């Protein structure tokens, strides 16, 4: 079936990414995941493809325009490498780049933006705190003005890419309680009083790092405050919509891997005198998986089109996010059932994707928060 | 210097070729097509020569159906400066044979004036390995085939060739036609900004008649069939058994 939103450029971008993932990632991904890291030159190779240039000015090495379909294609095709940790290890940029370009001073942008876009340096967004993940309004990290500086105190956790990032966009309280008292700060990793500790072993995303950040009287120049004082979180709320749409696209890529691996296995594995794929019970599983993939794909396309046309369909994005992860859970579980014992062995993409469902269902807005947000958007 | 790079649109190397039911060829309807991998290597080399300051312009040419413009867009996204599409047929199954391709390329060469033509050594669909050689004969230019290393210096191109006995290095006088082998380089991926910029690069569409070339097919495909499936092998215990088997089968 033709995708009505395809253009020659989008198709070409997808083809290039597919070739890149097949050649530069897939053959090594299992080793990287076991080792717990990806080589830094992958950041630079991906940067050279231009995958972090969406909405970034050309003078900083960006694309000079934005297209949510291209963002979705990037997330879907990278997810097809079969290890979510690869995208996560590099993807801290995705959620911190746009705020840096939009809200940082030109001095900071000239100094850092190109290096981040080209994959030479890493950046992360630090919002979540040890005291509460989804409860951002309750943020405890503080920033107090001291002459021409701000002094930051507090901690952040579950920050993706943080062990290797050079730059951070950090939320800290400058005003009263609630979302309206939070400002954003650009913090370089070399600042005195900044330290980081990697999170211990995780269920999935092994080849990416997540860390806890500590700010112990970290002094940053006042010009490192990004955008308006006390309006930090509100200024980047729209970015969470893009992040969630991208996570839907990643889930889509993972679901497609589950289906493809299931089909490949079912074609060759014989039971009771015929290939698995000839058994009705297996055929029904494949049909169900495939229909869910079609549904999510149509939904993601529709959301991308709306976002490209200036809409911010918060309710639909929220619903898509938990729909995507519930269906990912279904597809990875069914793929495991089809593969049986072979799927249970470590080192195959289905086993890994099965373990990575939860980071998708919890991270970037948990399924529960997404449902609540959707109903709130419905007016209740 | 201008460099001309012919690029062919072929069945993607990852796709399993399927023989058409009537045995007249490979089924190319609704299958993924992409740039012939050897042509990709030729294009990459042309881009590197240009990046070193030894060429000013790269022209990509593709001969075939209308959809070949997708292949040319890829070439433009990789780094070709402009493209020429020669619409020679409206049937994707109609493979334009090497002599006709060489005639078309010779005509384009006279029109565009490149001093170097970099070709893939063969297309992965019909494996002819003939166009570059025929083209150099048509143009009466130097030729160097199966290049694994290329170095351009003034009007001399030094080419290391992969030949049966090993490597042979020759100097050819420019203008020249060079066909490239697998190990010459690793083609780059087209970056997203370059994919977007390729939209704005010129792609000219012409017909063979515009070049005064007639499409004549001299070759006829008699039959296309799947290769015979390989039969299971035998594991033997020792050399004596092996000798015995050889005698049985060959008659010693």
């Amino acid at each position: 079936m033709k995708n009505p939103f395809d253009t020659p450029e989008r198709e070409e971008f997808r083809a290039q990414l597919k070739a890149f993932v097949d050649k530069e990632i897939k053959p090594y991904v299992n080793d990287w995941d076991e080792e717990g890291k990806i080589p830094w030159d992958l950041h630079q190779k991906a940067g050279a493809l231009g995958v972090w240039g969406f909405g970034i000015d050309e003078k900083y090495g960006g694309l000079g325009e934005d297209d949510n379909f291209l963002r979705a294609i990037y997330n879907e095709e990278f997810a097809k490498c079969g290890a979510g940790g690869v995208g996560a290890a590099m993807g801290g940029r995705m959620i911190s780049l746009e705020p840096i370009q939009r809200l940082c001073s030109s001095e900071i942008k000239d100094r850092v933006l190109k290096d981040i876009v080209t994959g030479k340096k890493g950046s992360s967004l630090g919002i979540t705190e040890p005291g509460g993940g989804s409860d951002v309004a309750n943020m405890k990290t503080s920033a107090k003005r001291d002459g021409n500086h701000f002094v930051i105190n507090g901690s952040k956790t579950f920050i993706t890419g943080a062990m290797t990032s050079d730059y951070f966009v950090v939320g800290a309280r400058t005003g009263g309680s609630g979302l309206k008292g939070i400002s954003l700060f650009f913090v370089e990793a070399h600042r005195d009083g900044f330290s980081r500790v990697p999170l211990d072993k995780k269920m999935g995303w092994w080849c990416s790092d997540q860390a806890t950040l500590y700010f112990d009287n970290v002094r940053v120049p006042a010009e490192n405050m990004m955008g308006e004082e006390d309006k930090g979180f509100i200024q980047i709320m729209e970015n969470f919509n893009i992040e969630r749409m991208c996570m839907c696209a990643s889930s889509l890529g993972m679901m497609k891997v589950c289906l493809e691996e299931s089909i490949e296995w079912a074609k060759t594995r014989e039971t009771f005198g015929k290939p698995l794929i000839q058994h009705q019970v297996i055929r029904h599983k494949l049909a169900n998986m495939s229909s869910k993939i079609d549904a999510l794909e149509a939904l993601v396309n529709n959301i991308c089109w709306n976002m490209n046309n200036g809409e911010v369909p918060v309710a639909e994005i929220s619903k898509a996010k938990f729909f995507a992860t519930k269906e990912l859970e279904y597809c990875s579980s069914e793929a495991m059932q089809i593969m049986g014992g072979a799927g249970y062995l470590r080192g195959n993409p289905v086993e890994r994707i099965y373990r990575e469902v939860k980071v998708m269902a919890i991270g970037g807005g948990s399924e529960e928060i997404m449902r609540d947000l959707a109903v709130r958007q419905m007016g209740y | 210097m201008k460099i001309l790079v012919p690029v062919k649109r072929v069945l993607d190397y990852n796709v399993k070729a399927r023989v058409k039911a009537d045995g007249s060829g490979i089924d190319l309807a609704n299958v993924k097509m992409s740039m012939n991998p050897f042509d990709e290597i030729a294009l990459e080399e042309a881009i590197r020569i240009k990046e070193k300051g030894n060429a000013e312009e790269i022209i990509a040419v593709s001969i075939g159906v209308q959809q070949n413009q997708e292949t040319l867009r890829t070439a433009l996204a990789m780094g070709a400066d402009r493209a020429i599409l020669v619409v020679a047929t409206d049937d994707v199954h109609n493979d334009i044979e090497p002599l006709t391709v060489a005639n078309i390329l010779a005509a384009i060469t006279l029109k565009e004036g490149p001093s170097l033509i970099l070709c893939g050594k063969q297309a992965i669909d019909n494996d002819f390995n003939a166009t570059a050689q025929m083209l150099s004969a048509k143009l009466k230019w130097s030729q160097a085939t199966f290049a694994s290393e290329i170095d351009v210096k003034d009007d001399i191109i030094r080419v290391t060739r992969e030949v049966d006995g090993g490597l042979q290095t020759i100097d050819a006088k420019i203008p020249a036609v060079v066909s490239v082998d697998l190990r010459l380089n690793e083609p780059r991926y087209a970056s997203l900004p370059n994919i977007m910029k390729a939209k704005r690069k010129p792609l000219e569409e012409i017909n063979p008649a515009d070049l005064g070339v007639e499409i004549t097919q001299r070759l006829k495909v008699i039959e296309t069939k799947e290769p015979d499936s390989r039969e299971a092998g035998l594991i033997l215990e020792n050399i004596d058994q092996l000798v015995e088997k050889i005698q049985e089968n060959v008659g010693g």
Side-chain angles (χ1 to χ4, degrees):
Chain A
M1 196 163 72
K2 279 210 162 47
N3 176 352
F5 303 104
D6 260 349
T7 61
E9 292 73 34
R10 289 174 189 153
E11 284 178 67
E12 180 68 41
F13 183 52
R14 190 187 289 279
Q16 294 289 333
L17 288 183
K18 187 184 176 329
F20 181 84
V21 168
D22 284 349
K23 203 164 157 214
E24 311 285 341
I25 302 182
K26 270 190 190 170
Y28 318 105
V29 80
N30 197 47
D31 289 343
W32 292 342
D33 217 40
E34 292 288 339
E35 279 167 33
K37 61 176 187 217
I38 61 166
W40 191 265
D41 80 333
L42 191 68
H43 292 249
Q44 282 169 283
K45 283 181 184 172
L49 288 173
V51 299
W52 297 305
F54 308 114
I56 305 290
D57 288 351
E58 282 180 85
K59 66 172 169 173
Y60 300 122
L63 185 59
E65 55 185 303
D66 203 350
D67 176 6
N68 286 287
F69 285 102
L70 292 173
R71 287 182 186 261
I73 289 169
Y74 161 70
N75 281 279
E76 183 187 334
E77 292 304 320
F78 263 63
K80 285 186 188 163
C81 78
V86 175
M90 299 189 291
R93 288 179 185 83
M94 294 301 274
I95 42 180
S96 50
L97 260 171
E98 195 277 340
I100 293 174
Q101 154 152 305
R102 189 158 47 95
L103 303 170
C104 275
S105 69
S106 351
E107 185 277 319
I108 292 176
K109 284 193 281 193
D110 290 346
R111 178 153 52 89
V112 306
L113 208 45
K114 196 165 189 174
D115 283 350
I116 304 172
V117 173
T118 53
K120 210 168 146 193
K121 302 273 177 157
S123 65
S124 296
L125 177 69
I127 299 290
T128 300
E129 299 196 342
S134 304
D135 187 10
V136 177
N138 204 17
M139 189 178 284
K140 298 277 193 299
T141 298
S142 69
K144 297 229 153 50
R145 193 182 271 275
D146 179 20
N148 285 332
H149 285 78
F150 277 94
V151 181
I152 304 173
N153 276 291
S155 57
K156 300 286 171 184
T157 195
F158 292 110
I159 307 306
T160 295
M163 288 311 292
T164 45
S165 278
D166 305 89
Y167 309 114
F168 295 88
V169 175
V170 178
R173 188 166 300 285
T174 43
S177 60
L179 284 179
K180 288 196 177 98
I182 296 169
S183 300
L184 292 178
F185 293 90
F186 179 80
V187 183
E188 298 92 336
H190 66 74
R191 295 275 171 199
D192 286 340
F194 171 85
S195 60
R196 45 189 161 183
V197 176
L199 293 186
D200 210 352
K201 289 179 178 168
K202 305 174 298 257
M203 185 174 180
W205 276 15
W206 292 347
C207 64
S208 73
D209 69 81
Q210 282 72 29
T212 303
L213 310 178
Y214 296 97
F215 301 87
D216 181 13
N217 286 318
V218 174
R219 289 176 73 84
V220 294
E223 66 147 42
N224 280 34
M225 187 163 76
M226 298 168 58
E228 283 183 65
E229 188 161 348
D230 293 345
K231 296 207 173 137
F233 191 72
I234 293 151
Q235 290 174 113
I236 59 165
M237 282 205 338
E238 208 163 295
N239 286 57
F240 294 109
N241 293 310
I242 296 177
E243 184 192 2
R244 284 165 192 161
M245 180 279 289
C246 289
M247 289 182 78
C248 292
S250 297
S251 301
L252 179 63
M254 294 160 83
M255 286 159 70
K256 287 184 179 177
V257 174
C258 289
L259 179 62
E260 282 161 21
E261 294 286 325
S262 298
I263 291 173
E264 275 313 303
W265 177 256
K267 279 195 319 200
T268 48
R269 164 78 170 161
E270 292 204 8
T271 56
F272 307 104
K274 56 184 176 182
L276 270 189
I277 203 158
Q278 298 301 335
H279 292 284
Q280 192 182 44
V281 66
I282 301 297
R283 299 172 73 81
H284 283 192
K285 286 184 197 297
L286 297 177
N288 287 345
M289 289 162 78
S290 180
S291 69
K292 288 165 192 295
I293 288 169
D294 290 350
L296 179 59
E297 190 156 37
L299 190 50
V300 169
N301 279 335
N302 203 340
I303 289 170
C304 286
W305 184 88
N306 275 280
M307 290 171 86
N308 275 2
N309 284 280
E311 302 285 327
V312 187
V314 177
E316 287 71 23
I317 293 170
S318 307
K319 287 182 277 183
K321 167 99 177 20
F322 74 76
F323 176 78
T325 51
K326 284 323 273 183
E327 301 308 352
L328 171 62
E329 186 177 318
Y330 174 89
C331 287
S332 63
S333 174
E334 293 295 76
M336 285 291 293
Q337 292 303 119
I338 292 171
M339 294 188 70
Y344 196 69
L345 298 176
R346 209 151 107 179
N348 81 80
V350 170
E351 176 267 344
R352 203 180 292 118
I353 289 170
Y354 187 72
R355 280 189 285 104
E356 289 178 346
V357 168
K358 284 297 164 189
V359 70
M360 302 298 284
I362 296 167
S366 72
E367 287 176 351
E368 291 71 20
I369 294 285
M370 289 300 98
R371 288 192 182 95
D372 180 68
L373 190 52
V375 178
R376 254 193 285 160
Q377 293 287 319
M378 288 154 68
Y380 308 103
Chain B
M1 176 168 86
K2 279 189 204 175
I3 305 177
L4 189 78
V5 183
V7 294
K8 187 174 184 182
R9 183 171 184 264
V10 297
L11 183 69
D12 187 86
Y13 70 97
N14 277 316
V15 174
K16 194 181 177 316
R18 261 182 253 262
V19 177
K20 281 201 280 186
D22 63 2
S24 64
I26 300 296
D27 191 359
L28 297 176
N30 300 318
V31 290
K32 187 172 171 349
M33 306 287 282
S34 47
M35 192 189 300
N36 176 35
F38 288 108
D39 300 346
E40 240 179 356
I41 295 169
L43 178 59
E44 173 66 33
E45 197 63 20
I47 298 166
R48 291 184 191 187
I49 292 171
K50 190 186 164 198
E51 283 171 346
K52 279 189 203 145
N54 290 328
E56 290 83 48
E57 192 181 34
I58 300 166
I59 308 164
V61 182
S62 196
I63 302 163
V65 292
Q66 189 69 44
Q67 292 93 309
N68 283 37
Q69 62 166 275
E70 291 165 16
T71 314
L72 286 170
R73 288 284 169 212
T74 304
L76 293 170
M78 279 177 71
D81 296 291
R82 59 190 175 93
I84 301 170
L85 169 63
V86 183
V87 183
T89 174
D90 54 10
D91 178 6
V92 69
H93 293 100
N94 183 8
D95 191 31
I96 310 298
E97 59 191 58
L99 188 59
T100 310
V101 172
N103 282 330
I104 292 171
L105 291 176
I108 289 175
T109 301
L110 294 179
K111 197 170 141 217
E112 300 289 343
S115 355
L116 181 61
I117 303 173
L118 285 175
C119 314
K121 70 166 182 179
Q122 65 198 60
I124 60 166
D125 50 5
N126 57 31
D127 279 345
F128 269 124
N129 187 349
T131 303
Q133 295 87 332
M134 287 176 174
L135 180 59
S136 83
K138 287 263 163 204
L139 294 167
K140 300 196 166 54
W141 285 14
S142 332
Q143 71 159 286
T145 49
F146 321 140
S148 64
E149 216 181 309
I150 288 177
D151 190 23
V152 179
K153 228 174 217 156
D154 304 323
D155 63 339
I156 297 291
I157 182 163
R158 174 162 291 186
V159 178
T160 303
R161 309 178 58 225
E162 293 195 1
V163 292
D164 286 346
L167 296 175
Q168 180 193 40
T169 303
I170 59 169
D171 283 347
K173 211 164 160 48
I174 288 172
V177 181
V178 177
S179 84
V180 308
D181 216 324
L182 197 63
R183 280 160 287 271
L184 178 61
N185 60 45
E186 263 196 55
R188 70 194 61 196
Y189 301 97
S191 74
L192 181 55
N194 288 341
I195 292 171
M196 304 308 271
K197 279 180 200 134
K199 264 200 296 206
R200 299 189 286 273
K201 289 183 177 175
L203 194 161
E204 183 192 353
E205 201 180 303
I206 56 174
N207 294 307
D210 302 337
L211 300 164
V213 178
E214 208 183 314
I215 304 288
T216 47
Q217 300 289 76
R218 302 168 313 128
L219 308 173
K220 208 172 128 194
V221 175
I222 296 165
E223 195 193 354
T224 306
K225 56 177 189 173
E226 296 275 353
D228 293 334
S229 61
R230 223 176 116 178
E231 284 176 24
L234 275 179
I235 295 175
L236 304 175
E237 305 268 308
N238 52 45
I239 295 290
D240 291 343
Q241 283 185 6
L242 179 64
V243 172
E244 204 175 297
K245 279 280 164 205
I246 291 173
Q247 283 174 338
E248 253 174 51
N249 286 292
V250 186

